[in-house]
Amino acid sequence: MVTQMEQTLDKFIKKNLNPEDLKQFNRIHYGREDHCELKFKESTFKTAGESNIDVAGYYFTANSEQVRSPRNVIVGLIQHSIVLPTDKTVSEQKDAIFHKINKIIDIAASEGVQILCLQESWYMPFFLCTREVEKWKEFAESATEGPVFKFLSPIAKKYKMVIISPILENENGTWWNTAVIIDEKGQYMGKHRKNHLPSVGSFSETSYYSPGNLGHAVFDTKYAKIAVNICYGRHQALNWLMFGLNGAEIVFNPAATISEFGESFWGIEARNAAIANAYFTCSINRVGTEDFFVIKNEKEERITRSYYGSSYITAPNGQRTPSLSRVRDGLLISKFDLNLCRQVKDQWGFNMTSRLDMYAMELILKTQT
Amino acid sequence: MVTQMEQTLDKFIKKNLNPEDLKQFNRIHYGREDHCELKFKESTFKTAGESNIDVAGYYFTANSEQVRSPRNVIVGLIQHSIVLPTDKTVSEQKDAIFHKINKIIDIAASEGVQILCLQESWYMPFFLCTREVEKWKEFAESATEGPVFKFLSPIAKKYKMVIISPILENENGTWWNTAVIIDEKGQYMGKHRKNHLPSVGSFSETSYYSPGNLGHAVFDTKYAKIAVNICYGRHQALNWLMFGLNGAEIVFNPAATISEFGESFWGIEARNAAIANAYFTCSINRVGTEDFFVIKNEKEERITRSYYGSSYITAPNGQRTPSLSRVRDGLLISKFDLNLCRQVKDQWGFNMTSRLDMYAMELILKTQT
């Protein structure tokens, strides 16, 4: 019931408050009275409507500066469900998702998206809840030579789009949960590997892949300095912090999280990170229900997991967009001036007052006792 | 206008949603469908009503355990406005606030509050916006021998209450922004000094007092292990983290923050800290409007600052209470089982997956370059 509920918190509000109350609610909850919607093309609504895709776009403004020109960028986030049942072949399942994503990227491109991020393990069902490997192992692939890279690379080139592609990586027999950065020429630019592996009650991903060994790289793309904090890593303040210290202007958080875990703080963590570190955060969560059939005690057992979508974006000043749908595929677009990052730092002083040297010492002492 | 608006975000919702929508809103926004209100005595509502005090109480539940008994505690937070105009004498202003607070503590005691926290610099107008010192300097006092300690000590003893008293401390000519912990026998137990000094646009407190030199102490009181993160310190993830690593079960955040700065993320930061560190956070913000008359360019100029109250409490599982009023004095009471802290850590695994050794090294490298 709850997981099928279409309404986001935002929708509840919009439909129930009178205009004056809505303004005040928005001021307190979103950080601004108006959502600042982007004007989309007719064709965008038409194509999205035909495919039942929730499209939404919002802009954030920055002040003009004397020395620096505005550095506007347009980002896009895609949240989507799987297409075929999970007992189809790996290739069938993957191709069906490729086909769907291709269409959504076309829409994104027509609205000028320059940096696009897909959800965690976007081309597969999130089978890690099954604890099985055999059936799924061909979903893990090379970051630079696998079918996913080969699918996205020409699209990135065609649209001059930087694409962040979260995959399961198999590198010489070791698995990683990896975000691959493809640059606007369609070339491999680098990758980030998930630093923190979930271990929530009986759910654990530790048997599938290794904790990230690539630190907190920031990728200086043509359009912005970006970083990726994969899913469960959003619970770790230090993970967010290091991306900020390394110069990130936008941090993407591609995720696959079910309603039973953390829907009430989905709107809290990435937003807090944006405020604390003065960068934009882009939160993407999977949607849809996935059924798996596993053999347990010689009997077939069904595992069902539902994801709540609700992708959203926060600016460094704490202003945020409404969320995409809880249940439908969606494309969220935002246009903003990256200069806002430094403007917020200069105004609020969180960086200047951070006393990092004190904390570095305290942490060293703490981890050695 | 905005600052005088009584309604919190919570009130907007309650008055506008139908019962079924309200449940779903609460589930997503507060982390639970029901607020779990505490049942207060008749006398509490009567006394509070007479003095126009917003009283509210909520409980949080934990599972029962085999080895440990429940460790229930009742905490109270007081938010209040000043009483007299800021041009009265220091003693007159202070005594008037003492008188008001005495009454509110009586109510808290009658509801069994065991740990009570007052707002930042609670016995004075928040004159730090004036940049003047001379007129105000007698508000700064000794942590253990000043009028504030002498006022609160017998009350703490009488009610067997631990009281956290945020003061401006003058120790041998050096000022600090300090939270004094008075134990349930009325004795001085220790103090914390604000680690991060605000520097927001033209507002700065750096000329008044020094950055805290007492680290991140946790006080093992009779009722709970507590710590204090004063006001602007809530913007620093590492500040919250260290209290957690040092074993805090409750972290209080006494503040004095105006609507123009951060009302939209007041509900984000302390709540995020509770989730990230698996402890309870108690957020207290001043209310009311304060007028100051300062001399600038040989002319008298008026400075007006309005505080938005909205005190609230978050549990380690991310569930939170509604906020107190934006404009009225208030007393927020909560009863909870401290065992919830470890239960959440064991369930969510944020501590176990934190890789602190990696971050300690990264921070050392970062601060030495």
Side-chain angles (χ1 to χ4, degrees):
Chain A
M1 267 294 280
V2 159
T3 46
Q4 289 310 316
M5 185 183 67
E6 152 82 23
Q7 290 190 313
T8 59
L9 191 142
D10 317 280
K11 294 250 168 72
F12 277 119
I13 296 314
K14 204 171 166 185
K15 104 175 169 198
N16 286 289
L17 297 194
N18 68 49
E20 197 43 47
D21 280 0
L22 185 61
K23 253 197 212 167
Q24 293 309 324
F25 182 92
N26 286 349
R27 187 184 61 79
I28 300 176
H29 184 67
Y30 297 98
R32 53 185 183 177
E33 293 186 1
D34 184 83
H35 291 315
C36 298
E37 286 190 34
L38 286 172
K39 218 175 138 63
F40 283 154
K41 296 174 179 160
E42 278 293 320
S43 59
T44 294
F45 291 115
K46 188 165 172 288
T47 320
E50 282 161 9
S51 304
N52 194 24
I53 296 162
D54 182 22
V55 289
Y58 310 94
Y59 61 91
F60 296 99
T61 53
N63 295 326
S64 64
E65 300 184 8
Q66 291 184 48
V67 175
R68 299 191 302 178
S69 304
R71 297 169 55 231
N72 287 316
V73 64
I74 303 178
V75 304
L77 318 180
I78 296 177
Q79 65 176 34
H80 65 277
S81 59
I82 57 171
V83 179
L84 297 180
T86 60
D87 55 3
K88 296 285 176 187
T89 68
V90 164
S91 292
E92 285 170 326
Q93 291 188 59
K94 214 187 297 198
D95 287 345
I97 297 176
F98 281 3
H99 183 71
K100 170 152 87 170
I101 287 303
N102 211 342
K103 274 200 210 167
I104 308 182
I105 298 183
D106 285 346
I107 304 177
S110 79
E111 290 293 348
V113 165
Q114 296 164 308
I115 306 176
L116 179 92
C117 187
L118 296 160
Q119 71 199 18
E120 186 183 23
S121 302
W122 66 271
Y123 56 95
M124 66 182 79
F126 206 73
F127 65 81
L128 297 88
C129 58
T130 65
R131 300 201 159 208
E132 292 178 336
V133 176
E134 185 56 27
K135 224 187 292 184
W136 318 105
K137 65 186 181 205
E138 291 184 68
F139 277 120
E141 57 176 68
S142 155
T144 53
E145 293 167 16
V148 170
F149 181 80
K150 286 180 182 156
F151 165 68
L152 288 175
S153 167
I155 299 178
K157 188 177 175 185
K158 174 176 162 197
Y159 289 135
K160 295 190 181 57
M161 200 184 267
V162 171
I163 300 183
I164 301 158
S165 168
I167 67 168
L168 280 192
E169 180 190 7
N170 182 338
E171 190 201 50
N172 196 24
T174 300
W175 286 28
W176 310 90
N177 189 321
T178 300
V180 179
I181 318 295
I182 305 169
D183 74 13
E184 83 288 351
K185 291 175 187 145
Q187 286 167 340
Y188 169 80
M189 188 175 191
K191 63 191 171 190
H192 172 74
R193 286 172 172 160
K194 187 170 177 178
N195 278 320
H196 300 272
L197 275 52
S199 181
V200 181
S202 61
F203 178 82
S204 169
E205 293 174 13
T206 48
S207 59
Y208 283 105
Y209 58 89
S210 300
N213 62 345
L214 298 178
H216 297 84
V218 169
F219 302 94
D220 193 1
T221 73
K222 181 175 170 166
Y223 307 112
K225 294 190 174 106
I226 64 171
V228 194
N229 180 347
I230 305 176
C231 197
Y232 187 81
R234 73 176 171 276
H235 306 307
Q236 300 291 344
L238 282 162
N239 206 19
W240 291 110
L241 177 73
M242 289 313 304
F243 294 123
L245 294 181
N246 291 340
E249 295 169 315
I250 311 173
V251 181
F252 295 88
N253 180 228
T257 307
I258 57 171
S259 182
E260 292 69 19
F261 186 69
E263 183 167 358
S264 72
F265 45 93
W266 172 250
I268 302 294
E269 293 172 314
R271 191 170 179 203
N272 186 76
I275 296 161
N277 302 291
Y279 48 53
F280 291 85
T281 57
C282 297
S283 307
I284 309 142
N285 190 27
R286 185 176 279 254
V287 287
T289 295
E290 300 175 5
D291 287 314
F292 300 93
F293 301 93
V294 300
I295 304 299
K296 225 174 179 176
N297 303 324
E298 294 175 25
K299 272 175 147 173
E300 195 178 71
E301 201 174 277
R302 178 166 146 169
I303 298 177
T304 298
R305 309 252 298 178
S306 291
Y307 299 89
Y308 58 82
S310 307
S311 303
Y312 73 103
I313 295 174
T314 306
N317 58 8
Q319 294 177 346
R320 59 157 285 180
T321 70
S323 303
L324 287 181
S325 165
R326 294 183 73 254
V327 292
R328 289 194 295 146
D329 292 346
L331 168 65
L332 179 62
I333 296 179
S334 186
K335 185 177 175 177
F336 44 78
D337 180 353
L338 295 165
N339 283 353
L340 187 59
C341 299
R342 201 174 81 187
Q343 289 175 15
V344 167
K345 284 177 195 162
D346 288 345
Q347 193 194 348
W348 294 359
F350 299 168
N351 281 56
M352 204 162 58
T353 60
S354 66
R355 302 184 72 178
L356 285 184
D357 48 351
M358 174 177 81
Y359 289 106
M361 289 313 300
E362 283 192 52
L363 272 181
I364 285 285
L365 289 171
K366 203 74 202 170
T367 51
Q368 290 179 346
T369 54
Chain B
M1 266 293 281
V2 159
T3 47
Q4 290 307 316
M5 185 184 68
E6 152 81 25
Q7 290 190 314
T8 59
L9 190 142
D10 317 281
K11 293 250 168 73
F12 278 118
I13 295 315
K14 205 173 165 182
K15 108 178 164 196
N16 286 291
L17 297 195
N18 68 48
E20 197 43 45
D21 281 359
L22 186 61
K23 254 196 212 167
Q24 293 308 327
F25 182 92
N26 286 349
R27 185 183 64 78
I28 300 176
H29 185 68
Y30 297 98
R32 53 185 183 177
E33 293 186 1
D34 186 83
H35 291 317
C36 299
E37 286 191 33
L38 285 172
K39 217 175 137 66
F40 283 154
K41 295 174 179 161
E42 278 292 319
S43 59
T44 293
F45 292 115
K46 189 165 172 291
T47 319
E50 282 161 10
S51 304
N52 194 23
I53 296 163
D54 182 21
V55 288
Y58 310 94
Y59 61 90
F60 297 99
T61 53
N63 295 327
S64 65
E65 299 183 8
Q66 290 184 48
V67 174
R68 300 191 302 179
S69 304
R71 299 168 53 230
N72 287 314
V73 63
I74 304 178
V75 303
L77 319 181
I78 297 176
Q79 66 175 34
H80 64 278
S81 59
I82 57 171
V83 178
L84 298 179
T86 60
D87 56 3
K88 295 287 176 184
T89 69
V90 165
S91 293
E92 284 171 327
Q93 291 187 60
K94 211 187 301 199
D95 287 344
I97 296 176
F98 282 3
H99 183 70
K100 170 153 84 171
I101 287 302
N102 211 340
K103 273 201 211 168
I104 307 181
I105 298 183
D106 286 345
I107 304 176
S110 79
E111 291 291 348
V113 166
Q114 296 164 308
I115 306 177
L116 179 92
C117 187
L118 297 161
Q119 72 200 18
E120 186 182 23
S121 303
W122 66 270
Y123 56 96
M124 66 182 80
F126 206 73
F127 65 81
L128 297 86
C129 57
T130 64
R131 302 203 156 205
E132 293 179 335
V133 175
E134 184 56 28
K135 224 188 292 182
W136 317 106
K137 64 185 182 204
E138 290 184 67
F139 277 121
E141 56 175 72
S142 155
T144 54
E145 292 167 14
V148 171
F149 182 81
K150 285 179 182 156
F151 164 68
L152 288 175
S153 166
I155 298 177
K157 187 177 174 184
K158 175 176 161 195
Y159 290 134
K160 296 189 181 56
M161 201 184 267
V162 171
I163 300 182
I164 301 158
S165 168
I167 67 169
L168 281 190
E169 181 189 7
N170 182 337
E171 189 202 50
N172 197 25
T174 301
W175 286 29
W176 310 89
N177 189 321
T178 301
V180 178
I181 319 294
I182 304 170
D183 74 13
E184 82 290 350
K185 292 175 185 144
Q187 287 166 340
Y188 170 79
M189 189 173 189
K191 64 190 170 192
H192 172 75
R193 286 171 173 161
K194 186 172 178 175
N195 278 320
H196 301 271
L197 275 53
S199 181
V200 182
S202 63
F203 178 81
S204 169
E205 293 175 11
T206 48
S207 58
Y208 282 106
Y209 57 89
S210 301
N213 62 346
L214 298 177
H216 297 85
V218 169
F219 302 94
D220 193 2
T221 74
K222 181 174 171 170
Y223 308 113
K225 295 189 174 107
I226 64 172
V228 193
N229 180 347
I230 304 174
C231 199
Y232 187 80
R234 73 176 170 277
H235 306 307
Q236 301 289 344
L238 282 163
N239 206 18
W240 291 109
L241 176 74
M242 289 313 305
F243 294 123
L245 295 181
N246 291 340
E249 295 169 314
I250 312 172
V251 180
F252 295 88
N253 179 230
T257 308
I258 57 172
S259 182
E260 289 71 18
F261 185 69
E263 183 167 359
S264 71
F265 45 92
W266 172 250
I268 301 292
E269 293 172 313
R271 192 170 177 202
N272 185 76
I275 296 162
N277 303 291
Y279 48 53
F280 291 85
T281 58
C282 297
S283 307
I284 309 142
N285 190 27
R286 185 176 279 255
V287 287
T289 295
E290 300 176 6
D291 287 313
F292 300 92
F293 302 91
V294 300
I295 304 299
K296 225 174 180 177
N297 303 325
E298 292 176 25
K299 272 173 143 177
E300 194 178 72
E301 199 173 280
R302 179 166 145 169
I303 298 177
T304 298
R305 308 253 297 176
S306 291
Y307 299 89
Y308 59 81
S310 308
S311 302
Y312 72 103
I313 295 174
T314 306
N317 57 10
Q319 294 178 346
R320 60 156 287 180
T321 70
S323 302
L324 287 180
S325 165
R326 294 183 73 253
V327 292
R328 289 193 296 147
D329 293 345
L331 168 64
L332 178 62
I333 296 179
S334 186
K335 185 176 175 177
F336 45 78
D337 180 353
L338 295 165
N339 283 353
L340 187 59
C341 300
R342 202 175 78 187
Q343 290 175 13
V344 167
K345 283 177 197 164
D346 289 344
Q347 194 197 345
W348 295 358
F350 299 167
N351 282 56
M352 204 161 61
T353 60
S354 66
R355 304 185 69 178
L356 284 184
D357 48 350
M358 173 177 82
Y359 289 106
M361 289 313 298
E362 284 191 50
L363 273 181
I364 285 286
L365 290 171
K366 202 75 203 167
T367 52
Q368 288 179 347
T369 52

